[in-house]
Amino acid sequence: MLKYTKLAIVVFGAISLVACDDNNESSALTSEADSALEYQVTVSNLTNAQPFSPLTVLLHDTGDVWNIGDSASDALESLAESGDNSTLMSSSFVLGAETNGAVLPYGQSATVTISTETESNYLSLVTMLVNTNDAFSGLNKVDISQLAVNQSLQYSPGAYDAGTEGNSEAAGTIPGPADGGEGFNASRDDLNIVTMHSGIISSDDGLVGSVLNFEHKFDNPVMAVTITRIK
Amino acid sequence: MSHKHFIAAGFLGLFSAASQAQDLTVTLTNLTQGIHFTPVIAASHDMNAAIFHVAETASAELTALAEGGSIADMSILLSNAGADVIENPASGLLAAAQMTSFNLTNSSGNDYLSVAAMMLPTNDGFVGLDSWKIPSEAGTYTVYLNAYDAGTEANNELVLTGSGAPGTLGIPAAPGGDAGSNGTGVSDAQSNTNIHIHRGVLGDTDASAGASDLDSRVHRWLNPVAKLTVVVQ
């Protein structure tokens, strides 16, 4: 009977999503292991020379990972300055969190698979561009509630500035391989609002004291993302 | 809005096995201020063919296109894959802020549209569209295109005659006549050897020396670098 239901979902695609939404009424259904929903998030790093910190994928019904014009949360500050996603992954609004647990080199792709027993409305994605002071990229609050099995959503996100650390590009302030400097620092010496990133300058372009060079420049989009519901 | 669009595309992709031929009118506009596009190649094709995919290595055909503006080999590749190919609709270079239009009738099953042209003056930069799903519904659709780096040549930013041949380092031409000479070279190594978003050029303001032959005030851009309007009849 259960198998028959799943088959119907595949065949009728978006139409049967309505029925899917009601699954939480039946404890018998949701307790079955194969009633889990599963999503694959594939990310390609499109920058020239900005490795990405371990990818962080979150499921949630409330909350935002960031909002343009608002101050970054401490959890986002930590991720955007150091690449450390542990605080964000354990944030109270998060219903499920996964990471690939490894740096994603430029020019490469990686996939994070996340599953959940109960449907979540939103999926978010965050990663740091590690050869910067506090640049990050990702997706905030993608509505996945209408996504049927085998359907995909595609995005090309740009780079954001957490606004929690001045973009000095100076030695000792950048955690990535271009510097090997400090990651997280609790002081906030920038605008203290999240904005789109205006790019790096680099020593090649005349910023005295910058440890970055022409290789580390980037333009948007910095990543290609495909979200596919596989169960 | 775009969310719904993708849902619809996915839904149709699942259930429409064989599509019908469509008549398309395509207009490509160069949105940059100081960059020329070399002869444009466009094609409708099935999901197994492509001009390029990001985060993958460039083919020899794309290398020839991105380093020297040659679309001949890419045209053969696409034709052999059963694509409907349009070559050089602008009859040469497409200058900044200029547009070119062409008609394309896609064969049944060729549901994806791809476009590419080299950007001059760059070492191996190109404007591209990879496998955009052609809508089955009649209407006018707009897609913005980004600048990519083929990852096949170091961006030394030196304008050198004859450097359009794959593997020969340099920028083959600066059609605007606004580049310098005698630069020392910006970079002789390529960090990222896969196709990626172009980081832009460095340039400088010294026409007869400096690291780059490019003018940082002229030869710069931000994405998107082109606008594609597709009218599905």
mmCIF file of all heavy atoms in Angstrom, chain A residues 10 24 40 55 66 78 81 91 113 115 130 163 186 191 199 203 206 216:
data_model
loop_
_atom_site.group_PDB
_atom_site.id
_atom_site.type_symbol
_atom_site.label_atom_id
_atom_site.label_comp_id
_atom_site.label_asym_id
_atom_site.label_seq_id
_atom_site.Cartn_x
_atom_site.Cartn_y
_atom_site.Cartn_z
ATOM 1 N N VAL A 10 5.212 9.859 -7.743
ATOM 2 C CA VAL A 10 6.133 10.020 -8.870
ATOM 3 C C VAL A 10 5.360 10.309 -10.147
ATOM 4 O O VAL A 10 5.669 11.216 -10.900
ATOM 5 C CB VAL A 10 6.998 8.750 -9.049
ATOM 6 C CG1 VAL A 10 7.810 8.869 -10.324
ATOM 7 C CG2 VAL A 10 7.888 8.552 -7.845
ATOM 8 N N ASN A 24 1.759 14.536 7.947
ATOM 9 C CA ASN A 24 2.066 14.681 9.369
ATOM 10 C C ASN A 24 0.887 14.290 10.265
ATOM 11 O O ASN A 24 1.031 14.155 11.456
ATOM 12 C CB ASN A 24 2.547 16.103 9.687
ATOM 13 C CG ASN A 24 1.559 17.139 9.229
ATOM 14 O OD1 ASN A 24 0.537 16.786 8.655
ATOM 15 N ND2 ASN A 24 1.862 18.402 9.506
ATOM 16 N N GLN A 40 18.886 16.680 -2.532
ATOM 17 C CA GLN A 40 20.295 16.793 -2.902
ATOM 18 C C GLN A 40 20.571 18.235 -3.296
ATOM 19 O O GLN A 40 19.856 18.814 -4.103
ATOM 20 C CB GLN A 40 20.610 15.885 -4.099
ATOM 21 C CG GLN A 40 20.996 14.478 -3.693
ATOM 22 C CD GLN A 40 21.437 13.642 -4.875
ATOM 23 O OE1 GLN A 40 21.292 14.052 -6.027
ATOM 24 N NE2 GLN A 40 21.959 12.475 -4.589
ATOM 25 N N LEU A 55 30.271 23.322 2.955
ATOM 26 C CA LEU A 55 28.918 23.757 2.622
ATOM 27 C C LEU A 55 27.972 23.445 3.774
ATOM 28 O O LEU A 55 28.051 22.368 4.366
ATOM 29 C CB LEU A 55 28.435 23.040 1.356
ATOM 30 C CG LEU A 55 29.334 23.174 0.127
ATOM 31 C CD1 LEU A 55 28.828 22.250 -0.991
ATOM 32 C CD2 LEU A 55 29.371 24.612 -0.352
ATOM 33 N N TRP A 66 20.105 35.207 6.807
ATOM 34 C CA TRP A 66 20.482 36.617 6.758
ATOM 35 C C TRP A 66 19.377 37.415 6.082
ATOM 36 O O TRP A 66 18.519 36.858 5.402
ATOM 37 C CB TRP A 66 21.804 36.830 6.010
ATOM 38 C CG TRP A 66 21.721 36.683 4.517
ATOM 39 C CD1 TRP A 66 21.393 37.643 3.610
ATOM 40 C CD2 TRP A 66 21.957 35.485 3.755
ATOM 41 N NE1 TRP A 66 21.423 37.121 2.328
ATOM 42 C CE2 TRP A 66 21.768 35.799 2.396
ATOM 43 C CE3 TRP A 66 22.317 34.184 4.099
ATOM 44 C CZ2 TRP A 66 21.914 34.851 1.373
ATOM 45 C CZ3 TRP A 66 22.465 33.243 3.082
ATOM 46 C CH2 TRP A 66 22.271 33.588 1.737
ATOM 47 N N SER A 78 30.330 34.115 12.602
ATOM 48 C CA SER A 78 31.344 33.087 12.791
ATOM 49 C C SER A 78 31.641 32.363 11.476
ATOM 50 O O SER A 78 32.798 32.161 11.101
ATOM 51 C CB SER A 78 30.867 32.097 13.859
ATOM 52 O OG SER A 78 31.777 31.036 13.989
ATOM 53 N N GLU A 81 33.350 34.803 8.835
ATOM 54 C CA GLU A 81 34.713 35.258 9.141
ATOM 55 C C GLU A 81 35.717 34.105 9.211
ATOM 56 O O GLU A 81 36.917 34.313 8.991
ATOM 57 C CB GLU A 81 34.731 36.025 10.481
ATOM 58 C CG GLU A 81 33.991 37.348 10.413
ATOM 59 C CD GLU A 81 34.100 38.129 11.732
ATOM 60 O OE1 GLU A 81 34.898 37.740 12.603
ATOM 61 O OE2 GLU A 81 33.379 39.127 11.874
ATOM 62 N N SER A 91 21.770 26.197 15.514
ATOM 63 C CA SER A 91 20.885 27.314 15.869
ATOM 64 C C SER A 91 19.472 26.802 16.151
ATOM 65 O O SER A 91 19.043 25.793 15.590
ATOM 66 C CB SER A 91 20.833 28.336 14.730
ATOM 67 O OG SER A 91 22.083 28.976 14.585
ATOM 68 N N THR A 113 23.589 15.811 0.744
ATOM 69 C CA THR A 113 22.275 15.176 0.800
ATOM 70 C C THR A 113 21.698 15.378 2.193
ATOM 71 O O THR A 113 22.382 15.158 3.198
ATOM 72 C CB THR A 113 22.390 13.674 0.492
ATOM 73 O OG1 THR A 113 23.012 13.514 -0.779
ATOM 74 C CG2 THR A 113 21.021 13.016 0.474
ATOM 75 N N SER A 115 18.122 14.718 4.609
ATOM 76 C CA SER A 115 16.816 14.076 4.673
ATOM 77 C C SER A 115 16.104 14.498 5.951
ATOM 78 O O SER A 115 16.731 14.936 6.923
ATOM 79 C CB SER A 115 16.948 12.556 4.613
ATOM 80 O OG SER A 115 17.808 12.102 5.628
ATOM 81 N N VAL A 130 36.768 31.843 1.375
ATOM 82 C CA VAL A 130 37.728 31.888 2.485
ATOM 83 C C VAL A 130 38.907 32.831 2.259
ATOM 84 O O VAL A 130 39.576 33.192 3.219
ATOM 85 C CB VAL A 130 38.237 30.478 2.866
ATOM 86 C CG1 VAL A 130 37.067 29.589 3.279
ATOM 87 C CG2 VAL A 130 39.049 29.847 1.757
ATOM 88 N N GLY A 163 29.440 42.119 6.802
ATOM 89 C CA GLY A 163 29.457 43.441 7.430
ATOM 90 C C GLY A 163 29.953 43.436 8.859
ATOM 91 O O GLY A 163 29.775 44.406 9.587
ATOM 92 N N ALA A 186 35.216 38.500 17.600
ATOM 93 C CA ALA A 186 33.885 38.956 18.020
ATOM 94 C C ALA A 186 33.663 40.452 17.817
ATOM 95 O O ALA A 186 32.524 40.915 17.775
ATOM 96 C CB ALA A 186 33.651 38.608 19.490
ATOM 97 N N LEU A 191 30.256 47.896 8.812
ATOM 98 C CA LEU A 191 28.940 48.537 8.830
ATOM 99 C C LEU A 191 27.957 47.873 9.788
ATOM 100 O O LEU A 191 26.966 48.471 10.193
ATOM 101 C CB LEU A 191 28.335 48.499 7.420
ATOM 102 C CG LEU A 191 29.052 49.278 6.320
ATOM 103 C CD1 LEU A 191 28.382 49.009 4.985
ATOM 104 C CD2 LEU A 191 29.039 50.760 6.637
ATOM 105 N N GLY A 199 33.221 43.172 -3.915
ATOM 106 C CA GLY A 199 34.415 42.588 -4.531
ATOM 107 C C GLY A 199 35.668 42.969 -3.762
ATOM 108 O O GLY A 199 35.670 43.890 -2.945
ATOM 109 N N SER A 203 46.302 43.667 -3.924
ATOM 110 C CA SER A 203 47.525 44.467 -4.058
ATOM 111 C C SER A 203 47.780 44.819 -5.518
ATOM 112 O O SER A 203 48.278 45.905 -5.825
ATOM 113 C CB SER A 203 48.719 43.689 -3.484
ATOM 114 O OG SER A 203 48.826 42.437 -4.123
ATOM 115 N N GLY A 206 46.200 47.950 -6.359
ATOM 116 C CA GLY A 206 46.632 49.165 -5.676
ATOM 117 C C GLY A 206 46.300 49.283 -4.208
ATOM 118 O O GLY A 206 46.528 50.339 -3.620
ATOM 119 N N HIS A 216 42.486 36.440 -6.832
ATOM 120 C CA HIS A 216 41.401 36.278 -5.855
ATOM 121 C C HIS A 216 40.172 37.111 -6.162
ATOM 122 O O HIS A 216 39.187 37.052 -5.440
ATOM 123 C CB HIS A 216 41.922 36.613 -4.450
ATOM 124 C CG HIS A 216 43.109 35.802 -4.048
ATOM 125 N ND1 HIS A 216 44.366 36.344 -3.844
ATOM 126 C CD2 HIS A 216 43.254 34.465 -3.882
ATOM 127 C CE1 HIS A 216 45.223 35.376 -3.548
ATOM 128 N NE2 HIS A 216 44.579 34.235 -3.567
#
